[in-house]
Amino acid sequence: MTAALARYHANQGRKVRVFKTGPDFLDPMILEHACGQPVYQLDLWLAGAAECLRLLHEAALAADLVLIEGVMGLFDGDPCSADIAEQFSVPVLAVINAAGTAQNPGRYCVRAG
């Protein structure tokens, strides 16, 4: 989803910067190809909050759009992607595949009448 958003906005002529939370070697290469800019990791444990803030600030000054791709789950790891979002007041978009759910959604609805 992040790569698709980055490619879409880059194709619209916007300068897009993308970051990846935590240590990773494959996703940043894919994201770099999608946005046409270097992709750096934001890791509060390895780099610290000050360095992550510096990277985000530098990107925000030069880009029209900054995207941050989290890890598999919002709360996976310590620190987690949610910690990055909270630390830097970044909104979160969760992509959830609910196709395999087994419960009837009506079961949890409160119905009037």
Side-chain angles (χ1 to χ4, degrees), residues 22-34:
D24 196 322
F25 67 94
L26 185 57
D27 287 351
M29 290 189 294
I30 295 166
L31 295 168
E32 184 172 323
H33 184 72

Side-chain angles (χ1 to χ4, degrees), residues 31-43:
L31 295 168
E32 184 172 323
H33 184 72
C35 72
Q37 299 290 323
V39 173
Y40 299 105
Q41 277 101 350
L42 297 178
D43 191 309

Side-chain angles (χ1 to χ4, degrees), residues 1-63:
M1 181 55 97
T2 306
L5 284 170
R7 176 56 63 95
Y8 172 80
H9 286 283
N11 285 346
Q12 299 301 309
R14 296 178 187 94
K15 187 170 183 183
V16 181
R17 292 295 311 272
V18 182
F19 292 91
K20 174 70 181 169
T21 62
D24 196 322
F25 67 94
L26 185 57
D27 287 351
M29 290 189 294
I30 295 166
L31 295 168
E32 184 172 323
H33 184 72
C35 72
Q37 299 290 323
V39 173
Y40 299 105
Q41 277 101 350
L42 297 178
D43 191 309
L44 293 171
W45 187 77
L46 289 173
E51 176 62 9
C52 291
L53 180 61
R54 184 192 70 76
L55 290 168
L56 285 169
H57 179 75
E58 183 180 280
L61 290 175

Side-chain angles (χ1 to χ4, degrees), residues 15 40 43 66 69 86-87 90:
K15 187 170 183 183
Y40 299 105
D43 191 309
V66 175
E69 181 175 276
E86 183 178 37
Q87 177 82 30
V90 176

